[in-house]
Amino acid sequence: MEEFFIKNNNLLTNIIEILAAVTGILLFKKYKYTAAKHFVFFLCYLSIGDLINLHNRFIRNNGILSFLEGTVFEKNYWWTTLYWKIGAILFFVFYYNKILKTEVFKNIIKYSGFVFFTISVIYILINWDLFFLRFFPIISIMGAVIIFMCTAFYFFEVLQTDKILTFYKSINFYISAAIFIWWLIITPIVFYDIYGEYRDIVYIHLRRHIYLFANILMYLTFTFALIWCKPEND
């Protein structure tokens, strides 16, 4: 069983990710006039991004992309950094600016997103060669801080309003809870990567299991929320 999960880690993640995106598309009319419609687009964006992320499988063993072998595009660190570690964070900055009501919170998130993007671009340019060879922990950590900030502001607003009585019907509650837990689980791994534990085969397998568990939990929560929740007039 363990070997099955190790070999099919990416496949299982892609399946549940696409399941969430397809669910969002099928129920799009339900959320058409709410901020949640942007989240459906985001799920589609992630599905496409992860499928592109598999391009390195077609480089090995004289695959159709074998002409990329030996180039900077052979690995997918650069693409993951762009579409997930930076792109996903910027989306949540945008999304929480849509659903939050407190102007102070919205401004803090907006300017934090601008600072995050600026520092990320500068850091990548300074470390251009490493951009294609590994992930940058500083980008992951800054992204996690912004996610925790977004979700904390959202939960604080819920506690301050009548929404606390019906929070379990809100898709934004499930989105916030899911991404908070995902980043809470995944962020500590960044520190182990810094110290080179990534070369240990036991650690690699453990890392894959943690990511798979976190991904399944997050995307199944999104799928459940899209089906269960009622549209909110944002």
Side-chain angles (χ1 to χ4, degrees):
M1 181 64 73
E2 181 179 356
E3 185 178 352
F4 170 80
F5 284 118
I6 291 173
K7 288 184 177 180
N8 298 282
N9 186 291
N10 290 329
L11 176 62
L12 292 172
T13 298
N14 289 336
I15 289 174
I16 58 171
E17 190 175 43
I18 292 173
L19 173 64
V22 171
T23 302
I25 292 172
L26 294 176
L27 298 175
F28 184 77
K29 287 185 177 180
K30 180 179 177 182
Y31 299 100
K32 186 176 180 180
Y33 300 106
T34 70
K37 67 180 179 182
H38 301 293
F39 187 72
V40 174
F41 296 144
F42 177 64
L43 290 176
C44 296
Y45 159 82
L46 289 183
S47 297
I48 295 171
D50 264 358
L51 289 176
I52 295 175
N53 210 23
L54 298 177
H55 79 280
N56 58 346
R57 292 193 173 191
F58 300 98
I59 297 176
R60 307 165 192 161
N61 303 318
N62 294 318
I64 58 175
L65 297 178
S66 59
F67 60 89
L68 292 176
E69 189 169 0
T71 69
V72 294
F73 301 109
E74 181 177 1
K75 304 293 184 181
N76 55 19
Y77 295 107
W78 63 278
W79 176 245
T80 303
T81 298
L82 290 178
Y83 93 92
W84 174 251
K85 294 182 179 292
I86 295 178
I89 300 301
L90 293 180
F91 167 78
F92 284 117
V93 168
F94 163 79
Y95 189 72
Y96 279 89
N97 263 279
K98 288 285 187 182
I99 66 174
L100 290 175
K101 307 301 181 185
T102 307
E103 283 299 321
V104 174
F105 291 166
K106 294 172 72 171
N107 286 332
I108 291 175
I109 291 173
K110 180 171 65 176
Y111 290 116
S112 296
F114 176 76
V115 171
F116 164 77
F117 178 73
T118 303
I119 293 176
S120 297
V121 171
I122 293 173
Y123 195 84
I124 288 172
L125 292 176
I126 293 174
N127 300 275
W128 183 251
D129 292 337
L130 293 177
F131 175 56
F132 298 95
L133 299 176
R134 68 181 186 86
F135 298 124
F136 295 131
I138 186 173
I139 293 178
S140 299
I141 294 170
M142 287 193 304
V145 170
I146 289 180
I147 292 298
F148 294 147
M149 193 185 304
C150 289
T151 53
F153 288 161
Y154 171 77
F155 290 136
F156 181 80
E157 281 195 352
V158 169
L159 290 172
Q160 297 298 311
T161 65
D162 292 339
K163 288 183 179 181
I164 188 63
L165 301 175
T166 56
F167 72 92
Y168 58 91
K169 296 180 180 179
S170 170
I171 187 171
N172 293 324
F173 168 78
Y174 291 102
I175 291 172
S176 299
I179 63 172
F180 177 84
I181 293 172
W182 192 93
W183 257 275
L184 191 64
I185 293 172
I186 297 302
T187 301
I189 296 178
V190 173
F191 297 100
Y192 287 95
D193 288 346
I194 294 174
Y195 293 105
E197 296 288 340
Y198 192 72
R199 300 170 187 171
D200 186 335
I201 190 65
V202 175
Y203 171 73
I204 292 174
H205 289 168
L206 176 61
R207 187 179 189 274
R208 288 176 178 172
H209 286 323
I210 293 174
Y211 264 93
L212 179 61
F213 167 77
N215 287 335
I216 290 175
L217 178 63
M218 180 172 68
Y219 287 113
L220 287 185
T221 300
F222 292 159
T223 303
F224 166 78
L226 287 165
I227 297 172
W228 161 259
C229 297
K230 295 180 179 180
E232 296 179 67
N233 186 1
D234 299 304

